[in-house]
Amino acid sequence: MNDIAQEAGVGRVTLYGHFPSREALVEAALIRLLAQGDEVLKTVDLTGDPRDALRTLMESGWLLIAQAASVLQAAQAALPPGRIQELHAKPEQRVHDLIRRGQTEGVFRADFPADLLASALHHIMHGAAVDVAAGRLGPTDAPRFVAEMALAVCLVPTAAARPRPAPE
């Protein structure tokens, strides 16, 4: 306790004093970060070629995830997975809409549901954050890698890269 607080007869004040539980504090922090991120992502131009839009969205989203990694990690430890998914619904809608548009335009693969592709992109972004934290991926390389992996997942495969049919 510092001298000023002691003289005033005030005990230690923490953020926990403003929230009923650690979970409530973590949830409030995550909600705030997601709202700030949504404001940034609203400015990202998703018109035009879906490939360019996806690249831009993934690079912009990566920067937000990198900045919020510690709060997200705390949320994953403190909150039920369903709650985290609920809180991500608005930002994920932007990804879903872009994927569906790309599928309609024949640019993104339609042999997988848009929800599955969006989920794969989510895992790419969060996996890259883990790899950066572990030193396996450089933070300056991450945006490009994330964007390129997202395109590799979403683009319609060329004839040479198409998966072979399963044996009967």
Side-chain angles (χ1 to χ4, degrees), residues 11 16 19 52 93 137 153 165:
Y16 292 110
F19 295 91
D52 295 335
Q93 188 62 48
L137 177 61
V153 167

Side-chain angles (χ1 to χ4, degrees), residues 6-7 22 24 27 32 36 40 56-57 64 68 80 103 110 119 129 135 143 150 158 163:
Q6 252 181 342
E7 288 176 22
R22 179 178 189 280
E27 183 171 328
R32 183 174 180 172
Q36 291 171 341
V40 170
T56 301
L57 182 61
L64 295 170
Q103 288 175 324
S119 179
T158 62

Side-chain angles (χ1 to χ4, degrees), residues 17-38:
H18 298 282
F19 295 91
S21 66
R22 179 178 189 280
E23 292 78 14
L25 168 63
V26 170
E27 183 171 328
L30 183 59
I31 288 169
R32 183 174 180 172
L33 279 172
L34 288 169
Q36 291 171 341
D38 189 52

Side-chain angles (χ1 to χ4, degrees), residues 6-91:
Q6 252 181 342
E7 288 176 22
V10 178
R12 195 173 98 177
V13 177
T14 67
L15 280 175
Y16 292 110
H18 298 282
F19 295 91
S21 66
R22 179 178 189 280
E23 292 78 14
L25 168 63
V26 170
E27 183 171 328
L30 183 59
I31 288 169
R32 183 174 180 172
L33 279 172
L34 288 169
Q36 291 171 341
D38 189 52
E39 288 302 314
V40 170
L41 293 177
K42 280 182 189 176
T43 67
V44 174
D45 181 11
L46 298 181
T47 62
D49 186 324
R51 291 169 283 233
D52 295 335
L54 182 61
R55 181 178 282 112
T56 301
L57 182 61
M58 294 301 288
E59 288 173 352
S60 299
W62 160 255
L63 295 173
L64 295 170
I65 285 182
Q67 293 168 351
S70 60
V71 172
L72 183 58
Q73 186 177 19
Q76 289 169 333
L79 302 175
R83 181 62 181 145
I84 295 171
Q85 190 173 6
E86 286 172 24
L87 295 173
H88 278 84
K90 189 174 181 181

Side-chain angles (χ1 to χ4, degrees), residues 114-161:
D115 290 345
L116 180 62
L117 293 175
S119 179
L121 300 186
H122 177 86
H123 289 289
I124 288 169
M125 300 253 294
H126 289 280
V130 169
D131 285 347
V132 167
R136 292 185 295 265
L137 177 61
T140 57
D141 294 325
R144 182 176 57 86
F145 288 160
V146 164
E148 292 302 319
M149 285 188 282
L151 287 167
V153 167
C154 290
L155 289 176
V156 172
T158 62

